[in-house]
Amino acid sequence: VRAMGHELVEQFYEPDELGKALRDFDVAIIRSKTKLRAKQIDEAKGSRFKCVIRAGVGLDNIDVQYAKDNGIEVKNTPKSPSESVAELAMAHMFSCARYISIAGHTMREDKWEKKAYGKGIELTGRTVGIVGYGRIGQALGKRCQALGMKVLAYDIYQNKDLECDTMRYVEMDELLANSDIISLHVPSLPGQPLINAETIAKMKDGVILINTSRGTNVDEDALLAALDSGKVYGAGLDVFAEEPAKNAALYSHPHVSCTPHVGASTVEAQKRIGQEIVNIISEKFGL
């Protein structure tokens, strides 16, 4: 952006400062930590501020319709993080299946727990249920199929051309009942969490749950209870209901593989996000 002759200010603003600060900018580029709500929009509207770009996929940290109603265009970069998030979800699958996270941790404590962690499972031949079969879900589905896994996909929008011997669309209850592994790739949903005590009860015993979407999509208390009972074999979590994560009982559980919301944090994804942002700005201002 600077190379194109524009002024670029890199600064984090607290919520009570953000709205007024935006009045001095034409475009704001934000990540998931920054929330653009009605209060900030009211303070910024009527000024030169005309566009907000979410550097990433999810738009749940922006009151999108309210922004649009007040003349502020809302954009995101949906294509850029897909491969990185899919690879992290895959990594968490391997970690849960083979106790990689906890086994590595115990070795750093000078322990040799070969017997305790020598009874993992193979992913090949398993069925993975992917909730949300958009760009990221499809990228994960391809990787799972390449490993010899079968894919059950749930999505409101279905591309039947993707269906084949190793991938088909199903209703949610069928996905819950027949998946060995369930991976979430949907935005933050209103109402109760998508994964709760009721939906967990519908799953196979010994299921693996992966969440690289939004932490609020999972009832953490229900998941913790299911991990303790063995209903859930393992969980791979990149996102949490509160971030930075405060639920130590969950993220320190021996059957949990966890990362601090780094799904799109690869060199390649960040370059693609940057290029998408430049393209949006160029198109917006006819550059």
Side-chain angles (χ1 to χ4, degrees):
V1 172
R2 287 194 180 100
M4 297 165 66
H6 302 295
E7 179 185 5
L8 179 64
V9 177
E10 298 177 80
Q11 183 174 337
F12 175 76
Y13 293 95
E14 295 295 339
D16 59 346
E17 302 173 337
L18 179 61
K20 293 179 181 177
L22 288 176
R23 298 183 66 85
D24 296 327
F25 298 95
D26 298 291
V27 180
I29 301 166
I30 67 173
R31 302 301 299 267
S32 58
K33 185 178 180 180
T34 299
K35 316 298 181 186
L36 189 61
R37 303 302 186 196
K39 179 180 182 296
Q40 289 81 27
I41 293 168
D42 283 340
E43 291 174 340
K45 68 185 181 183
S47 66
R48 63 190 290 183
F49 177 58
K50 297 300 179 185
C51 180
V52 57
I53 304 172
R54 163 72 167 96
V57 179
L59 292 170
D60 47 290
N61 56 323
I62 303 172
D63 286 350
V64 176
Q65 192 56 54
Y66 193 76
K68 291 180 178 178
D69 290 344
N70 284 279
I72 298 169
E73 193 173 3
V74 179
K75 296 285 189 179
N76 63 349
T77 60
K79 301 176 183 178
S80 302
S82 301
E83 306 301 322
S84 295
V85 177
E87 287 188 7
L88 183 64
M90 192 89 254
H92 277 302
M93 287 186 194
F94 279 113
S95 184
C96 290
R98 300 301 300 272
Y99 301 103
I100 293 172
S101 180
I102 184 62
H105 177 75
T106 56
M107 286 192 69
R108 287 188 287 275
E109 295 179 337
D110 294 324
K111 297 177 183 178
W112 189 257
E113 305 282 3
K114 182 177 175 68
K115 289 185 179 179
Y117 305 123
K119 296 181 180 179
I121 62 172
E122 294 181 354
L123 297 183
T124 302
R126 303 280 173 176
T127 297
V128 58
I130 301 178
V131 183
Y133 211 63
R135 290 185 178 91
I136 297 172
Q138 290 173 33
L140 177 61
K142 291 177 182 177
R143 287 160 174 76
C144 292
Q145 289 170 283
L147 281 173
M149 304 172 73
K150 290 186 177 180
V151 175
L152 301 179
Y154 173 81
D155 202 293
I156 297 173
Y157 306 101
Q158 300 183 0
N159 180 358
K160 293 294 186 178
D161 291 338
L162 297 175
E163 290 192 311
C164 59
D165 291 342
T166 55
M167 180 272 161
R168 63 187 178 92
Y169 288 102
V170 295
E171 293 302 315
M172 189 64 175
D173 279 355
E174 184 176 350
L175 184 149
L176 294 172
N178 293 287
S179 299
D180 301 301
I181 302 163
I182 295 173
S183 191
L184 307 182
H185 301 281
V186 290
S188 182
L189 302 174
Q192 68 173 334
L194 178 65
I195 301 301
N196 52 44
E198 181 181 352
T199 51
I200 289 173
K202 297 178 180 180
M203 298 176 188
K204 280 185 173 184
D205 292 342
V207 67
I208 291 174
L209 177 68
I210 307 295
N211 188 15
T212 57
S213 61
R214 287 290 182 265
T216 51
N217 284 331
V218 174
D219 181 328
E220 292 184 348
D221 290 338
L223 175 58
L224 187 57
L227 286 162
D228 287 339
S229 71
K231 174 70 177 182
V232 173
Y233 176 88
L237 306 174
D238 184 48
V239 290
F240 298 84
E242 185 179 1
E243 296 182 359
K246 300 292 192 298
N247 194 339
L250 181 62
Y251 65 69
S252 62
H253 195 283
H255 287 265
V256 169
S257 171
C258 54
T259 44
H261 202 155
V262 296
S265 299
T266 63
V267 172
E268 294 84 356
Q270 294 306 304
K271 286 182 178 178
R272 290 193 296 266
I273 288 171
Q275 187 57 59
E276 256 193 283
I277 290 170
V278 169
N279 293 343
I280 291 169
I281 293 173
S282 298
E283 183 179 343
K284 171 72 176 174
F285 295 100
L287 303 175

